[in-house]
Amino acid sequence: KKEIPDLVIANDPGGTPLHFVHVNSASAPAGTGTLIAPFRTLAAAQAASNPNDILLVHSGSSFTGESIALQNGQQFLGEGINHFVMTQQAGLVQLPSPTGGNTLPIIAGAPGDAVTMASNSKVSGFVINTPGGRGVSASNLNGNVVISRVQISNATTQGIFLEDIQGR
């Protein structure tokens, strides 16, 4: 593991600082998306996030009747597995585990598609149970999508739906 200097860690190649939005279903209702005061719902995280943000969902979280539509460049990462980001200062860096937990977050009973991808987005480290539509969907996008280590069961239509993705 590399020790990271006391600097703003930035993505390659543009040098834009990484911005994290924390989500924990067990947190207080008035969360602000920080490590200490995570958002409680996926909708709150979605409303307060911006393109290219990293939405980091804490281990053990469970979201019933919720779904999320990602914005361009966002990473939707569930704690419980290791995640890595490329930085200018330190190269490939493993993200720290916010809670130290090893249980993947759960999205259950989403009213439609549980996760809707956007251009150059990523979803990794979730259990998706019984979505009203698809587990993960991506269509008509101009950019890459990454789906990894996602467990989907009992999807009403498809577990993963990809259509017309114009990647690099």
Side-chain angles (χ1 to χ4, degrees):
K1 292 184 183 179
K2 295 182 179 182
E3 183 151 340
I4 303 170
D6 236 350
L7 299 171
V8 174
I9 299 299
N11 267 333
D12 281 335
T16 305
L18 296 174
H19 182 257
F20 294 86
V21 176
H22 290 267
V23 188
N24 187 333
S25 63
S27 68
T32 58
T34 64
L35 174 61
I36 295 171
F39 288 118
R40 187 179 199 169
T41 66
L42 299 178
Q46 181 182 39
S49 66
N50 294 304
N52 302 310
D53 283 352
I54 297 173
L55 285 65
L56 188 54
V57 182
H58 294 189
S59 179
S61 289
S62 183
F63 305 95
T64 301
E66 296 187 51
S67 60
I68 190 163
L70 301 179
Q71 298 178 53
N72 290 340
Q74 286 187 332
Q75 295 183 54
F76 185 51
L77 308 178
E79 182 186 15
I81 59 173
N82 294 329
H83 297 287
F84 298 85
V85 294
M86 183 60 71
T87 66
Q88 288 181 332
Q89 295 91 342
L92 191 63
V93 174
Q94 181 177 333
L95 295 179
S97 177
T99 69
N102 60 5
T103 304
L104 296 178
I106 299 169
I107 301 172
D113 296 347
V115 178
T116 302
M117 308 278 302
S119 293
N120 299 312
S121 63
K122 176 180 182 176
V123 60
S124 179
F126 287 91
V127 173
I128 299 173
N129 293 325
T130 320
R134 302 166 181 113
V136 178
S137 69
S139 61
N140 302 314
L141 301 178
N142 202 0
N144 297 321
V145 296
V146 176
I147 303 166
S148 69
R149 302 185 292 186
V150 177
Q151 303 168 21
I152 302 169
S153 62
N154 300 314
T156 301
T157 56
Q158 297 99 354
I160 296 174
F161 177 77
L162 303 174
E163 177 182 56
D164 195 20
I165 310 297
Q166 302 296 318
R168 293 179 236 172

PDB file of all heavy atoms in Angstrom, residues 72-89:
ATOM      1  N   ASN A  72     -23.229  11.380 -15.380  1.00  0.00           N
ATOM      2  CA  ASN A  72     -22.030  11.094 -16.159  1.00  0.00           C
ATOM      3  C   ASN A  72     -20.788  11.079 -15.271  1.00  0.00           C
ATOM      4  O   ASN A  72     -20.584  11.974 -14.461  1.00  0.00           O
ATOM      5  CB  ASN A  72     -21.851  12.124 -17.271  1.00  0.00           C
ATOM      6  CG  ASN A  72     -22.894  11.981 -18.358  1.00  0.00           C
ATOM      7  OD1 ASN A  72     -23.523  10.940 -18.499  1.00  0.00           O
ATOM      8  ND2 ASN A  72     -23.087  13.028 -19.123  1.00  0.00           N
ATOM      9  N   GLY A  73     -19.990  10.036 -15.456  1.00  0.00           N
ATOM     10  CA  GLY A  73     -18.714   9.931 -14.761  1.00  0.00           C
ATOM     11  C   GLY A  73     -18.792   9.491 -13.314  1.00  0.00           C
ATOM     12  O   GLY A  73     -17.763   9.345 -12.661  1.00  0.00           O
ATOM     13  N   GLN A  74     -19.981   9.250 -12.789  1.00  0.00           N
ATOM     14  CA  GLN A  74     -20.083   8.856 -11.382  1.00  0.00           C
ATOM     15  C   GLN A  74     -19.688   7.398 -11.175  1.00  0.00           C
ATOM     16  O   GLN A  74     -19.885   6.556 -12.043  1.00  0.00           O
ATOM     17  CB  GLN A  74     -21.492   9.070 -10.848  1.00  0.00           C
ATOM     18  CG  GLN A  74     -21.831  10.509 -10.600  1.00  0.00           C
ATOM     19  CD  GLN A  74     -23.154  10.697  -9.909  1.00  0.00           C
ATOM     20  OE1 GLN A  74     -24.075   9.895 -10.032  1.00  0.00           O
ATOM     21  NE2 GLN A  74     -23.264  11.800  -9.173  1.00  0.00           N
ATOM     22  N   GLN A  75     -19.130   7.141  -9.984  1.00  0.00           N
ATOM     23  CA  GLN A  75     -18.860   5.785  -9.543  1.00  0.00           C
ATOM     24  C   GLN A  75     -19.761   5.523  -8.343  1.00  0.00           C
ATOM     25  O   GLN A  75     -19.770   6.290  -7.387  1.00  0.00           O
ATOM     26  CB  GLN A  75     -17.396   5.624  -9.130  1.00  0.00           C
ATOM     27  CG  GLN A  75     -16.429   5.812 -10.279  1.00  0.00           C
ATOM     28  CD  GLN A  75     -15.000   5.576  -9.847  1.00  0.00           C
ATOM     29  OE1 GLN A  75     -14.681   4.527  -9.300  1.00  0.00           O
ATOM     30  NE2 GLN A  75     -14.143   6.550 -10.083  1.00  0.00           N
ATOM     31  N   PHE A  76     -20.522   4.437  -8.395  1.00  0.00           N
ATOM     32  CA  PHE A  76     -21.447   4.036  -7.341  1.00  0.00           C
ATOM     33  C   PHE A  76     -20.859   2.777  -6.727  1.00  0.00           C
ATOM     34  O   PHE A  76     -20.941   1.695  -7.295  1.00  0.00           O
ATOM     35  CB  PHE A  76     -22.820   3.794  -7.960  1.00  0.00           C
ATOM     36  CG  PHE A  76     -23.925   3.479  -7.008  1.00  0.00           C
ATOM     37  CD1 PHE A  76     -24.182   4.275  -5.901  1.00  0.00           C
ATOM     38  CD2 PHE A  76     -24.753   2.394  -7.245  1.00  0.00           C
ATOM     39  CE1 PHE A  76     -25.237   3.981  -5.041  1.00  0.00           C
ATOM     40  CE2 PHE A  76     -25.815   2.100  -6.409  1.00  0.00           C
ATOM     41  CZ  PHE A  76     -26.051   2.894  -5.299  1.00  0.00           C
ATOM     42  N   LEU A  77     -20.188   2.937  -5.586  1.00  0.00           N
ATOM     43  CA  LEU A  77     -19.371   1.874  -5.008  1.00  0.00           C
ATOM     44  C   LEU A  77     -19.916   1.427  -3.655  1.00  0.00           C
ATOM     45  O   LEU A  77     -20.137   2.251  -2.764  1.00  0.00           O
ATOM     46  CB  LEU A  77     -17.932   2.362  -4.826  1.00  0.00           C
ATOM     47  CG  LEU A  77     -17.252   2.976  -6.062  1.00  0.00           C
ATOM     48  CD1 LEU A  77     -15.850   3.462  -5.701  1.00  0.00           C
ATOM     49  CD2 LEU A  77     -17.218   1.978  -7.203  1.00  0.00           C
ATOM     50  N   GLY A  78     -20.093   0.137  -3.505  1.00  0.00           N
ATOM     51  CA  GLY A  78     -20.540  -0.430  -2.241  1.00  0.00           C
ATOM     52  C   GLY A  78     -19.358  -0.917  -1.422  1.00  0.00           C
ATOM     53  O   GLY A  78     -18.513  -1.663  -1.920  1.00  0.00           O
ATOM     54  N   GLU A  79     -19.298  -0.479  -0.183  1.00  0.00           N
ATOM     55  CA  GLU A  79     -18.247  -0.951   0.722  1.00  0.00           C
ATOM     56  C   GLU A  79     -18.472  -2.440   0.987  1.00  0.00           C
ATOM     57  O   GLU A  79     -19.579  -2.933   0.945  1.00  0.00           O
ATOM     58  CB  GLU A  79     -18.313  -0.169   2.042  1.00  0.00           C
ATOM     59  CG  GLU A  79     -17.234  -0.551   3.024  1.00  0.00           C
ATOM     60  CD  GLU A  79     -17.390   0.118   4.378  1.00  0.00           C
ATOM     61  OE1 GLU A  79     -18.467   0.655   4.685  1.00  0.00           O
ATOM     62  OE2 GLU A  79     -16.419   0.087   5.131  1.00  0.00           O
ATOM     63  N   GLY A  80     -17.433  -3.138   1.288  1.00  0.00           N
ATOM     64  CA  GLY A  80     -17.504  -4.572   1.528  1.00  0.00           C
ATOM     65  C   GLY A  80     -16.556  -5.319   0.604  1.00  0.00           C
ATOM     66  O   GLY A  80     -16.285  -6.498   0.795  1.00  0.00           O
ATOM     67  N   ILE A  81     -16.070  -4.609  -0.414  1.00  0.00           N
ATOM     68  CA  ILE A  81     -15.032  -5.117  -1.299  1.00  0.00           C
ATOM     69  C   ILE A  81     -14.028  -3.987  -1.510  1.00  0.00           C
ATOM     70  O   ILE A  81     -14.319  -2.824  -1.196  1.00  0.00           O
ATOM     71  CB  ILE A  81     -15.596  -5.582  -2.662  1.00  0.00           C
ATOM     72  CG1 ILE A  81     -16.313  -4.435  -3.375  1.00  0.00           C
ATOM     73  CG2 ILE A  81     -16.507  -6.777  -2.490  1.00  0.00           C
ATOM     74  CD1 ILE A  81     -16.738  -4.772  -4.788  1.00  0.00           C
ATOM     75  N   ASN A  82     -12.868  -4.320  -2.026  1.00  0.00           N
ATOM     76  CA  ASN A  82     -11.853  -3.290  -2.277  1.00  0.00           C
ATOM     77  C   ASN A  82     -12.163  -2.541  -3.571  1.00  0.00           C
ATOM     78  O   ASN A  82     -12.534  -3.141  -4.577  1.00  0.00           O
ATOM     79  CB  ASN A  82     -10.467  -3.928  -2.384  1.00  0.00           C
ATOM     80  CG  ASN A  82     -10.030  -4.536  -1.081  1.00  0.00           C
ATOM     81  OD1 ASN A  82     -10.394  -4.076  -0.016  1.00  0.00           O
ATOM     82  ND2 ASN A  82      -9.245  -5.593  -1.153  1.00  0.00           N
ATOM     83  N   HIS A  83     -11.982  -1.221  -3.506  1.00  0.00           N
ATOM     84  CA  HIS A  83     -12.128  -0.363  -4.687  1.00  0.00           C
ATOM     85  C   HIS A  83     -10.846   0.441  -4.838  1.00  0.00           C
ATOM     86  O   HIS A  83     -10.228   0.840  -3.847  1.00  0.00           O
ATOM     87  CB  HIS A  83     -13.314   0.600  -4.527  1.00  0.00           C
ATOM     88  CG  HIS A  83     -14.628  -0.082  -4.424  1.00  0.00           C
ATOM     89  ND1 HIS A  83     -15.244  -0.670  -5.503  1.00  0.00           N
ATOM     90  CD2 HIS A  83     -15.455  -0.277  -3.367  1.00  0.00           C
ATOM     91  CE1 HIS A  83     -16.398  -1.192  -5.116  1.00  0.00           C
ATOM     92  NE2 HIS A  83     -16.546  -0.962  -3.829  1.00  0.00           N
ATOM     93  N   PHE A  84     -10.477   0.707  -6.087  1.00  0.00           N
ATOM     94  CA  PHE A  84      -9.255   1.439  -6.389  1.00  0.00           C
ATOM     95  C   PHE A  84      -9.564   2.611  -7.305  1.00  0.00           C
ATOM     96  O   PHE A  84     -10.473   2.530  -8.133  1.00  0.00           O
ATOM     97  CB  PHE A  84      -8.238   0.514  -7.070  1.00  0.00           C
ATOM     98  CG  PHE A  84      -7.804  -0.635  -6.206  1.00  0.00           C
ATOM     99  CD1 PHE A  84      -8.554  -1.799  -6.152  1.00  0.00           C
ATOM    100  CD2 PHE A  84      -6.660  -0.544  -5.436  1.00  0.00           C
ATOM    101  CE1 PHE A  84      -8.167  -2.859  -5.341  1.00  0.00           C
ATOM    102  CE2 PHE A  84      -6.258  -1.594  -4.627  1.00  0.00           C
ATOM    103  CZ  PHE A  84      -7.016  -2.759  -4.579  1.00  0.00           C
ATOM    104  N   VAL A  85      -8.799   3.696  -7.149  1.00  0.00           N
ATOM    105  CA  VAL A  85      -8.901   4.851  -8.049  1.00  0.00           C
ATOM    106  C   VAL A  85      -7.499   5.222  -8.512  1.00  0.00           C
ATOM    107  O   VAL A  85      -6.516   5.019  -7.799  1.00  0.00           O
ATOM    108  CB  VAL A  85      -9.574   6.075  -7.384  1.00  0.00           C
ATOM    109  CG1 VAL A  85     -11.032   5.797  -7.073  1.00  0.00           C
ATOM    110  CG2 VAL A  85      -8.822   6.520  -6.159  1.00  0.00           C
ATOM    111  N   MET A  86      -7.430   5.751  -9.727  1.00  0.00           N
ATOM    112  CA  MET A  86      -6.159   6.228 -10.267  1.00  0.00           C
ATOM    113  C   MET A  86      -6.009   7.693  -9.873  1.00  0.00           C
ATOM    114  O   MET A  86      -6.927   8.482 -10.040  1.00  0.00           O
ATOM    115  CB  MET A  86      -6.134   6.074 -11.785  1.00  0.00           C
ATOM    116  CG  MET A  86      -4.814   6.488 -12.414  1.00  0.00           C
ATOM    117  SD  MET A  86      -3.382   5.539 -11.811  1.00  0.00           S
ATOM    118  CE  MET A  86      -3.676   3.955 -12.551  1.00  0.00           C
ATOM    119  N   THR A  87      -4.840   8.028  -9.329  1.00  0.00           N
ATOM    120  CA  THR A  87      -4.567   9.402  -8.917  1.00  0.00           C
ATOM    121  C   THR A  87      -3.294   9.901  -9.587  1.00  0.00           C
ATOM    122  O   THR A  87      -2.438   9.103  -9.986  1.00  0.00           O
ATOM    123  CB  THR A  87      -4.389   9.509  -7.388  1.00  0.00           C
ATOM    124  OG1 THR A  87      -3.201   8.805  -7.014  1.00  0.00           O
ATOM    125  CG2 THR A  87      -5.577   8.941  -6.644  1.00  0.00           C
ATOM    126  N   GLN A  88      -3.165  11.206  -9.686  1.00  0.00           N
ATOM    127  CA  GLN A  88      -1.950  11.794 -10.235  1.00  0.00           C
ATOM    128  C   GLN A  88      -0.793  11.655  -9.260  1.00  0.00           C
ATOM    129  O   GLN A  88       0.333  11.383  -9.647  1.00  0.00           O
ATOM    130  CB  GLN A  88      -2.168  13.279 -10.535  1.00  0.00           C
ATOM    131  CG  GLN A  88      -3.045  13.529 -11.727  1.00  0.00           C
ATOM    132  CD  GLN A  88      -3.216  15.007 -12.003  1.00  0.00           C
ATOM    133  OE1 GLN A  88      -3.146  15.832 -11.105  1.00  0.00           O
ATOM    134  NE2 GLN A  88      -3.435  15.342 -13.253  1.00  0.00           N
ATOM    135  N   GLN A  89      -1.055  11.864  -7.983  1.00  0.00           N
ATOM    136  CA  GLN A  89       0.012  11.913  -6.995  1.00  0.00           C
ATOM    137  C   GLN A  89       0.567  10.546  -6.616  1.00  0.00           C
ATOM    138  O   GLN A  89       1.762  10.412  -6.369  1.00  0.00           O
ATOM    139  CB  GLN A  89      -0.470  12.615  -5.706  1.00  0.00           C
ATOM    140  CG  GLN A  89      -0.805  14.054  -5.897  1.00  0.00           C
ATOM    141  CD  GLN A  89      -2.270  14.261  -6.262  1.00  0.00           C
ATOM    142  OE1 GLN A  89      -2.960  13.345  -6.683  1.00  0.00           O
ATOM    143  NE2 GLN A  89      -2.743  15.481  -6.121  1.00  0.00           N
TER     144      GLN A  89
END
